[in-house]
Amino acid sequence: MNTRDDLLSAQTGMGAVTLRVGDLDAMIAYYRDAVTLELQSQEGDVAVLGRGGVPVVILQHAPELKHAAPRSAGLYHTAILFESEPALAAALYSMARRAPGLFTGSADHLVSKAFYFTDPEGNGVELYWDRARTEWSWAHGQIEMGTAYLDPNEFLQQHVTPELVENPRLGGTTVGHVHLSVGDVATAKEFYVDRLGFETTTAFGDSALFVSAGGYHHHMAMNVWESKGAGRRPLALGLGLVEIAVPTADEVGRVGERLGHYGLQTRNDGRSLMVSDPWDNQIKIVAADTTSVA
């Protein structure tokens, strides 16, 4: 790992992902009934879903907006982290029952086991569980991740019980990482690593970049698999906001000073900091004890 004095705190994590949605009721039903999150609040056009008081997805009703054009920058997927394999299996079983046509794949990534879906409006969703950090391998400063085959039916058989079928909300959930579609990886690295303060954990040439704080396998990733050459993202359905939680308000201030040093425009209300990445994806930096629910 790098030794830099301009890194995000090792205690950095991800906060809720905000999505602009066309059909609020359908999207609440998907994330509540299929993904197995809890509807934590709903006020007017905004619904917050998560578990245990921790918001994971914030849905903002925006029926006046249209979907972004194909191959645009934006969200590749929101990755929801479960505390155990049985908890992940319970959610996977729920997805198979309630949203069977939205499964897109699965993989054992060596550091984690992951299952992939789209939501009813085309936003990518990953449900995953992490192996213990002691089981991860690093070589030359990069995390070793793979894409070994993972059989979802076998995974269900190994972990699902009748009790989990009846009560699938086992343990807490968080946003483990957020994966973005961007126009080019070099520009993404300049913003997310050189300016914002993440560290590179692995890269696949000029096609994908994985970054984190504190030695996690990745808190964010950026790829060009479906968006190479994309320009700034227009206001559209889909990704509204990515939230990054740092431990203290002082850390929010330090990030703001660093971004300002590089000439980036930020909006700071004293509790949080807003900045746009080079594709106009909105990034919000908050202190962990003030993570937003709107």
Side-chain angles (χ1 to χ4, degrees), residues 17-35:
V17 171
T18 299
L19 301 174
R20 301 188 188 99
V21 304
D23 187 334
L24 182 61
D25 291 341
M27 292 288 274
I28 289 173
Y30 173 83
Y31 283 98
R32 180 191 61 209
D33 301 336
V35 180

Side-chain angles (χ1 to χ4, degrees), residues 111-278:
V111 296
S112 63
K113 294 182 179 181
F115 300 90
Y116 297 93
F117 307 84
T118 56
D119 72 17
E121 297 195 1
N123 301 294
V125 179
E126 175 184 341
L127 309 182
Y128 79 110
W129 163 80
D130 274 335
R131 289 187 169 88
R133 289 197 183 203
T134 53
E135 298 181 43
W136 302 355
S137 294
W138 294 82
H140 309 293
Q142 295 208 352
I143 189 78
E144 293 185 358
M145 294 191 291
T147 53
Y149 177 66
L150 177 61
D151 186 329
N153 292 312
E154 182 178 342
F155 186 81
L156 290 174
Q157 291 168 2
Q158 290 174 341
H159 299 291
V160 168
T161 64
E163 292 77 17
L164 286 179
V165 172
E166 292 298 318
N167 299 289
R169 292 180 175 90
L170 175 64
T173 57
T174 58
V175 175
H177 62 270
V178 176
H179 200 143
L180 300 178
S181 294
V182 299
D184 73 277
V185 166
T187 301
K189 182 177 186 295
E190 181 180 58
F191 178 82
Y192 285 99
V193 176
D194 301 337
R195 306 291 188 256
L196 193 54
F198 280 116
E199 293 180 271
T200 298
T201 56
T202 196
F204 298 108
D206 59 0
S207 68
L209 174 72
F210 295 77
V211 304
S212 83
Y216 191 52
H217 54 72
H218 66 296
H219 284 114
M220 295 193 72
M222 307 91 204
N223 75 66
V224 299
W225 301 328
E226 299 172 2
S227 56
K228 188 172 184 178
R232 295 182 71 83
R233 187 169 183 269
L235 187 63
L237 293 172
L239 182 63
L241 182 70
V242 173
E243 190 171 272
I244 300 170
V246 297
T248 66
D250 286 344
E251 176 76 2
V252 174
R254 283 192 289 271
V255 174
E257 290 175 4
R258 186 162 66 243
L259 296 176
H261 170 76
Y262 288 112
L264 294 169
Q265 292 187 338
T266 61
R267 301 175 295 287
N268 193 333
D269 64 6
R271 297 174 296 115
S272 62
L273 177 77
M274 292 284 295
V275 64
S276 300
D277 81 358

